[in-house]
Structure formats: C-alpha cells, structure tokens
Amino acid sequence: MADSTHDTSRIMDGARTSLAVNRTGGYHRGSIGAGSARLKKEHAATKLKRIFIAIAAIVVAAMGFGLFVSALGFEGLFITVLLAVVAVWVLSRYPKIKVPKAATLSRGDLQQNVAKTELWLEHQRPALPAPAVTLVDQIGVQLDGLGVQLQGLDENTPAAVSVRNLVTRDLPEVVSSYTKIPRHLRSQDSAGSTPDSQVTESLKSISREIDTVTRQLAEGDLDALAVRTRYLDYKYGSAMDETPALPSPGAPDPALPPVSPAPKALGETDPLTSEPTPKDN
C-alpha cells in the first residue's frame, strides 16, 4: 500500500512538472544562446552543401548515362528524381549534429568553449526540473554576454583559465551530478532537501558567478578575476568557501613536528641574556 501511495505521489509530481514545462513552452524551445545557434547553423549549412553535391552527382550521372549508354526515357527520369528525393531526405536528417561531451568542452578557444557548453546544456534540459530549465535558458543568455567580453582576451592569462574552468568544468559538473541520479530518486526528500531543489540552487549560484565574471571582464578588472578565491559548493548549491588566511612568516609549520632548542655548549654565552651558561657541578 505504501509503495502504491509513493508511486501515485511520484506520478503526480511528474505531471505537475510536465505541466509547468509545457506552460513555459516545452523543453525544446530552440537555442539557448547565440553560440549554440551558430553551431547548428554551421551544421545545417554543411548538410545543405552535401545535398547540393549529391543532387549534382545524380544529375551528372543521369546525363552521362543518357549521352553515352542509352536514352533515359520516362523510367530513367523517374529513377533520377527518386534518387534525388531519397538523397535529400537522407542527407537532411543525417548526420545529426554531434553534441559535445562534457569532457571535451574545454577543447578549442574560449569562444568555442562557450558555444559548445551552450549546445551541451540544450541537450540536458529534458532531464532537468522545470525551475532548472528556466535557469538554463537564463544562463544561455549570460554565456552570450560572457562570450562578447572574452573577445581579445589572452588565452594564457589566469583570468582566461578561470573563465574556462567556470564554463567547461564547474557548470557541467553541477548538471552531470544531477543527471546521474536515478529519475525516481530526484524528487525524494533527503535531509530537508531534494536533488531537484539542489540542482536549481546550484544553477542559481552558477548564474550569479557568470554575472560577476562578466562584469569584471567588462570593467577590465582582470586582476580581481584572476585571484578569485570563491568556489561553488556543488553539494548544497549556495555555500562559498573562503581560502584560509596564510600563517605569519614566524609561525611554525603545523605539518612539521615541534623542534626542541639545541643544547648550548658549556660556558657559551646566551645572546639574549649575555650571561654564561652555568656549568654542571
């Protein structure tokens, strides 16, 4: 009976999530950013080029057959048109755009990193709860703004490394850690929170971080960006860890055992007291 109640509750939660998503336009609402849209346009242009080449090859082959073998006739013309239609249908559907894997997002320059991350995020939306889907769309717009600020930034600077880590490592890890959880466990309460709410809070933190980085780049404050010491807490989504203060130069190293002072030789003067060391009787 308990299992049945739990299943009913899970189904109702899923229905409410689906309704909320449909009210906002569904999961598949197109590109979340200009970078992913550009990649898809480039892929579409490549497919269109292949279609033209295939049609040209079919027409040339048909003309060659008609000139050097025999007249095509109605049947030959019908086969030519049929081959062209099949070529258009196949090449317009395949190959599908290759979605980058999370491990490959850091390859290429910063502009490519941003575009590939947007494309990767688009394909993660169906697995996310409705509030997180809205945040992903918002992050897509923010990544566009970040991409504009990255133009002309030296790829080897600490600031560029910090941005690359945020876009290609931190953001994908937040989403991937959620999608690894079985679907039926994502809405279950554990320690006062659910994976659904945790990933939403984590994406909020990522969104704030991207906004901060973009502002620093716009202001030209690369030093502040390069020495940032805050890191996103992926488990809870909102905590920020501060780097502990460095010990003073004279403080002992806590990793080393304490060292006892070396014994003084007999009759040696203590430089701090200017008195000779007493001798043993």
Side-chain angles (χ1 to χ4, degrees):
M1 183 68 176
D3 292 340
S4 177
T5 302
H6 173 70
D7 291 340
T8 302
S9 176
R10 179 163 56 85
I11 293 172
M12 292 300 296
D13 289 340
R16 282 192 291 266
T17 299
S18 178
L19 178 61
V21 170
N22 289 329
R23 284 175 175 175
T24 59
Y27 283 121
H28 303 286
R29 296 190 299 276
S31 302
I32 66 172
S36 60
R38 187 185 73 251
L39 292 179
K40 288 189 283 190
K41 287 181 180 178
E42 291 175 354
H43 178 71
T46 301
K47 290 203 295 186
L48 187 60
K49 181 179 179 181
R50 291 174 178 171
I51 289 173
F52 283 143
I53 293 175
I55 292 177
I58 292 172
V59 170
V60 169
M63 291 176 60
F65 184 87
L67 290 174
F68 300 105
V69 180
S70 65
L72 289 177
F74 176 79
E75 292 182 356
L77 183 61
F78 175 79
I79 292 175
T80 301
V81 173
L82 180 61
L83 288 175
V85 170
V86 171
V88 170
W89 186 84
V90 172
L91 294 177
S92 64
R93 295 175 60 88
Y94 305 99
K96 295 185 180 297
I97 189 170
K98 186 177 181 181
V99 180
K101 296 181 179 179
T104 65
L105 295 177
S106 60
R107 298 176 184 174
D109 58 34
L110 286 171
Q111 297 288 336
Q112 293 174 337
N113 296 157
V114 171
K116 289 193 296 184
T117 298
E118 289 180 1
L119 184 60
W120 181 84
L121 276 177
E122 286 180 18
H123 287 77
Q124 309 307 313
R125 287 190 297 185
L128 297 175
V133 171
T134 302
L135 283 169
V136 164
D137 294 339
Q138 173 182 317
I139 289 173
V141 176
Q142 291 179 308
L143 288 175
D144 283 343
L146 178 61
V148 172
Q149 300 303 324
L150 292 175
Q151 294 177 2
L153 182 64
D154 187 351
E155 300 274 343
N156 298 318
T157 60
V161 175
S162 178
V163 172
R164 179 177 283 109
N165 288 340
L166 174 63
V167 173
T168 66
R169 184 192 65 188
D170 300 343
L171 174 55
E173 281 184 0
V174 166
V175 178
S176 296
S177 62
Y178 171 82
T179 55
K180 291 177 182 177
I181 302 173
R183 287 185 177 273
H184 68 283
L185 298 178
R186 294 175 184 174
S187 59
Q188 290 189 3
D189 192 349
S190 176
S193 182
T194 65
D196 285 347
S197 61
Q198 288 172 5
V199 71
T200 301
E201 291 303 315
S202 295
L203 287 174
K204 287 181 181 178
S205 296
I206 287 284
S207 178
R208 290 193 295 267
E209 192 75 1
I210 294 176
D211 182 66
T212 301
V213 168
T214 304
R215 290 177 185 273
Q216 288 180 339
L217 286 171
E219 295 169 359
D221 197 359
L222 298 184
D223 290 337
L225 177 59
V227 299
R228 291 182 65 83
T229 57
R230 297 186 304 164
Y231 297 93
L232 292 172
D233 185 331
Y234 305 116
K235 182 175 182 180
Y236 300 105
S238 59
M240 292 289 186
D241 298 327
E242 295 294 333
T243 301
L246 296 175
S248 59
D253 190 339
L256 299 177
V259 179
S260 302
K264 300 180 180 65
L266 295 179
E268 181 182 4
T269 300
D270 191 332
L272 298 179
T273 61
S274 301
E275 295 180 358
T277 303
K279 298 180 180 180
D280 295 336
N281 293 331

